[in-house]
């Protein structure tokens, strides 16, 4: 237990990731209250010790980037107490917030000002701004607004020697040299500690039209997406998908969250599609949208959701990760592919891998509109028709022996299909060796040169990414 001022924290919460895949033993957990304290702490550690620092936000990551090692020579630097919204500039449509602000809080504050903070995903109540930027998070609304880096305008960063880079500009245009903020975004705490950020805000979409569509396969889902982009002039707000196994996994742990008409043998791909209400009945695009859905070459069923159905379908989508966590460890993949290559990739690797591991299967779901598949491999999925048949420890043992090889096979297929091994979760510890194996020497050399030049003692999150 750690005591703060009027606060108590359980050290376990900082030592283990939420999915309990990475266990660390932090030498200490530091909970500074402001940028100045972060700067003084880092400067002291840099000058007087040989220990290294693992920055941590809401500890909701899926790649182990915020968990310390087991050797007791790393301190966790939690940003959770830096949680102020410093300013909102209504006319400039920006806010400046500290790294520990939760995503939910940012969304609420923007909405109180009749503006919209566009990032969104299921861990919104704990995920924090610093973590969102350190991993360049994506989520459910990337299609229209992009990932975190696309609407970040400036940063405040504490460097490895304790110096502060005051880069909190709130400009749409700034052509004055290297885009340093883009260096820190996605760097997973290896180059500096993000303590605050300036973020763009948008106009809220007053009303969304939510559709559920079923397509025969992924190819048709991708074609349907293309059609909807054409008829809405690229105004599709969300296009998510879930395959049968993902839905059945939720059925196994939260049966009440699966709509009754989603039969367990249903072989279709379920798509959740959101458009702005500007495309409602009397708009000129409306008939073209209806035609796209009515094309039964693409779509075998579709419905426009009532508000209740909308909540139900999103709850189902957001429950997949939690159902997976209940089910036990998986080989988790967060891959990015050109949309045109997705069907070939999935066919290719499914055949290849299931030949070797016929008891397993893929839990495939994610953000198909932006080419991001959560293509997770559950090693005993086909044998687990009833809960508890396979013990968690059996899965752990299986993964100890096979995870690396399975991940390698999947990633080779990703590279073969011109993709990336992570789209939004980051490299962390989970994909570090694969990143080494698959990135070109030139790319790795440039990254190392940058790292060495601003963190020569390698004290910032040295065990992730590189
Ligand atoms: C999502 O899209 C998250 O729900 C988590 O990125 C994905 O659990 C996963 O693999
Ligand atoms: Zn995702």
């Amino acid at each position: 237990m750690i005591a703060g001022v009027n606060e108590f924290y359980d050290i376990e919460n900082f030592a283990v990731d939420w999915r309990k895949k990475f266990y660390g033993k932090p030498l200490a957990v530091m909970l500074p209250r402001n940028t100045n304290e972060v700067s003084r702490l880092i400067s002291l550690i840099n000058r007087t010790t040989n220990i290294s620092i693992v920055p941590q936000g809401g500890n909701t990551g899926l790649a182990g980037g915020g968990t310390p090692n087991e050797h007791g020579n790393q301190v966790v630097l939690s940003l959770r107490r830096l949680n102020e919204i410093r300013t909102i500039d209504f006319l400039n449509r920006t806010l400046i917030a500290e790294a520990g602000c939760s995503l939910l809080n940012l969304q609420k504050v923007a909405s109180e000002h009749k503006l919209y903070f566009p990032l969104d995903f299921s861990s919104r109540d704990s995920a924090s701004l610093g973590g969102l930027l350190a991993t360049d998070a994506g989520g459910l609304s990337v299609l229209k607004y992009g990932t975190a880096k696309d609407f970040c305008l400036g940063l405040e960063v504490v460097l490895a020697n304790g110096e502060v880079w005051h880069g909190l500009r709130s400009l749409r245009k700034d052509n004055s040299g290297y885009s340093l903020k883009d260096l820190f975004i996605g760097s997973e705490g290896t180059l500096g500690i993000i303590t605050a950020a300036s973020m763009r805000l948008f106009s809220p979409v007053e009303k969304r039209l939510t559709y559920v569509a079923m397509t025969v396969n992924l190819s048709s889902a991708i074609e349907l997406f293309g059609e909807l982009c054409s008829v809405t002039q690229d105004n599709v707000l969300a296009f998510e998908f879930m395959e049968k196994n993902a839905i059945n996994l939720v059925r196994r742990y939260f049966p009440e969250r699966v709509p009754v008409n989603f039969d367990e043998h249903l072989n279709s791909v379920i798509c959740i599609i959101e458009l702005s209400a500007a495309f409602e009945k009397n708009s000129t695009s409306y008939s073209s949208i209806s035609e796209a859905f009515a094309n039964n070459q693409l779509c075998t069923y579709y419905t426009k959701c009532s508000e209740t159905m909308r909540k139900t379908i999103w709850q189902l989508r957001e429950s997949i990760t939690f159902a997976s966590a209940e089910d036990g460890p998986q080989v988790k993949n967060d891959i990015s592919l050109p949309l045109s290559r997705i069907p070939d990739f999935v066919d290719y690797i499914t055949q290849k891998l299931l030949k070797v591991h016929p008891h397993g299967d893929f839990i495939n779901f994610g953000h198909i509109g932006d080419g991001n598949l959560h293509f997770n491999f559950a090693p005993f999925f086909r044998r687990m028709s009833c809960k508890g048949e396979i013990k968690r420890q059996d899965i752990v043992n299986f993964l100890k022996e096979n995870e690396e090889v399975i991940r390698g096979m999947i990633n080779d297929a990703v590279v073969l299909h011109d993709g990336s091994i992570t789209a939004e979760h980051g490299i962390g510890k989970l994909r570090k060796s694969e990143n080494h194996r698959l990135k070109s020497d030139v790319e790795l050399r440039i990254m190392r040169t940058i790292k060495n030049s601003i963190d020569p003692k390698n004290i910032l999150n040295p065990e992730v990414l590189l």
Side-chain angles (χ1 to χ4, degrees):
M1 193 79 95
I2 316 167
V5 181
N6 300 328
E7 291 158 295
F8 291 93
Y9 299 95
D10 188 341
I11 200 160
E12 182 75 357
N13 295 338
F14 302 87
V16 183
D17 70 309
W18 79 270
R19 224 170 175 278
K20 307 210 178 327
K21 180 158 178 81
F22 301 93
Y23 286 85
K25 288 203 184 93
L27 183 62
V29 177
M30 307 187 297
L31 289 146
R33 281 162 303 194
N34 53 48
T35 305
N36 187 32
E37 284 186 3
V38 176
S39 157
R40 282 166 51 211
L41 281 167
I42 296 194
S43 159
L44 186 72
I45 290 174
N46 193 4
R47 278 183 288 114
T48 60
T49 74
N50 281 324
I51 57 181
S52 56
I53 299 162
V54 177
Q56 194 181 89
N59 201 11
T60 58
L62 288 159
T67 317
N69 69 22
E70 293 171 332
H71 310 305
N73 57 4
Q74 296 197 305
V75 289
V76 170
L77 174 69
S78 168
L79 280 305
R80 65 172 69 180
R81 291 214 276 173
L82 275 79
N83 58 7
E84 272 182 27
I85 307 280
R86 291 192 190 161
T87 55
I88 292 206
D89 184 340
F90 187 76
L91 287 180
N92 200 42
R93 299 165 84 75
T94 48
L95 63 70
I96 293 181
E98 292 185 342
C101 288
S102 73
L103 173 54
L104 188 64
N105 193 28
L106 294 165
Q107 292 173 341
K108 276 191 185 148
V109 168
S111 144
E112 280 159 20
H113 289 77
K114 305 216 169 350
L115 288 166
Y116 178 61
F117 187 89
L119 268 189
D120 196 26
F121 43 81
S122 57
S123 52
R124 56 184 78 74
D125 50 347
S126 332
S128 65
L129 181 60
L132 303 181
L133 288 161
T135 54
D136 188 17
L140 306 170
S141 41
V142 166
L143 287 175
K144 187 164 164 65
Y145 304 97
T147 59
K149 74 169 174 323
D150 294 312
F151 57 100
C152 174
L153 300 178
L155 293 178
E156 177 185 86
V157 180
V158 177
L159 303 177
N161 61 3
E163 260 179 311
V164 183
W165 173 49
H166 295 283
L168 277 177
R169 296 173 198 123
S170 297
L171 307 170
R172 296 292 187 287
K173 288 177 152 185
D174 175 11
N175 224 349
S176 57
Y178 301 146
S179 180
L180 293 183
K181 71 179 169 62
D182 287 313
L183 206 56
F184 293 103
I185 298 174
S187 70
E188 303 188 18
T190 59
L191 298 180
I193 312 290
I194 296 173
T195 48
S198 167
M199 305 297 289
R200 269 184 82 178
L201 300 171
F202 298 81
S203 300
V205 176
E206 282 305 325
K207 195 174 148 210
R208 288 161 183 261
L209 305 177
T210 306
Y211 294 86
V212 171
M214 294 183 187
T215 65
V216 202
N217 53 30
L218 287 176
S219 294
S220 317
I222 293 164
E223 263 188 71
L224 177 64
F225 171 66
E227 281 294 308
L228 290 173
C229 286
S230 304
V231 296
T232 62
Q233 295 90 45
D234 291 318
N235 272 305
V236 179
L237 300 173
F239 198 109
E240 299 284 304
F241 83 107
M242 310 173 262
E243 287 198 325
K244 181 175 84 176
N245 288 349
I247 295 169
N248 285 341
L249 196 58
V250 178
R251 193 191 309 279
R252 197 177 279 171
Y253 295 94
F254 311 109
E256 71 291 352
R257 297 189 191 172
V258 181
V260 278
N261 60 333
F262 290 4
D263 182 78
E264 92 181 89
H265 303 293
L266 189 81
N267 233 337
S268 317
V269 175
I270 307 286
C271 304
I272 310 175
I273 299 147
E274 290 207 334
L275 309 174
S276 136
F279 297 105
E280 215 153 13
K281 261 196 169 125
N282 47 5
S283 77
T284 44
S285 310
Y286 179 76
S287 54
S288 321
I289 290 170
S290 309
E291 269 168 38
F293 280 123
N295 176 352
N296 52 21
Q297 306 282 342
L298 298 184
C299 210
T300 51
Y301 164 90
Y302 81 97
T303 183
K304 196 171 118 199
C305 296
S306 63
E307 196 44 38
T308 318
M309 179 66 183
R310 178 174 191 271
K311 284 196 184 125
T312 309
I313 198 74
W314 278 115
Q315 188 191 34
L316 168 64
R317 165 65 184 85
E318 293 189 7
S319 299
I320 302 170
T321 299
F322 302 110
S324 301
E326 292 288 323
D327 202 54
Q330 298 173 348
V331 183
K332 285 189 83 76
N333 299 290
D334 164 47
I335 63 188
S336 191
L337 289 157
L339 300 200
S340 50
R341 308 297 303 275
I342 289 175
D344 280 351
F345 164 82
V346 171
D347 286 349
Y348 171 89
I349 189 62
T350 306
Q351 282 185 28
K352 213 170 158 150
L353 200 61
L354 295 194
K355 239 186 234 159
V356 193
H357 297 295
H359 298 306
D361 213 346
F362 286 101
I363 314 297
N364 190 16
F365 66 102
H367 322 282
I368 198 163
D370 49 79
N372 180 186
L373 309 185
H374 298 306
F375 194 64
N376 300 330
F377 184 71
F380 298 107
F381 191 78
R382 285 166 190 245
R383 271 177 45 190
M384 286 179 68
S385 45
C386 15
K387 291 189 226 180
E389 193 186 311
I390 307 277
K391 302 272 171 302
R392 181 173 278 261
Q393 195 52 44
D394 298 337
I395 311 178
V396 172
N397 295 343
F398 174 90
L399 289 182
K400 242 186 220 148
E401 269 181 37
N402 299 290
E403 179 164 4
E404 219 178 294
V405 177
I406 295 175
R407 191 179 298 288
M409 281 170 77
I410 295 170
N411 287 341
D412 284 342
V414 168
V415 173
L416 192 66
H417 292 81
D418 302 319
S420 165
I421 65 170
T422 174
E424 58 175 10
H425 296 168
I427 296 291
K429 290 193 177 121
L430 186 67
R431 304 184 175 89
K432 183 172 146 167
S433 58
E434 284 293 273
N435 203 34
H436 274 232
R437 186 171 75 83
L438 297 168
K439 262 212 165 21
S440 73
D441 289 346
V442 180
E443 245 174 307
L444 285 173
R445 198 172 60 240
I446 298 173
M447 285 168 71
R448 281 203 193 97
T449 309
I450 295 170
K451 168 80 172 160
N452 293 342
S453 72
I454 55 176
D455 180 18
K457 278 180 73 182
N458 200 16
I459 66 164
L460 296 179
N461 225 2
E463 299 193 8
V464 313
L465 191 57
L466 277 170

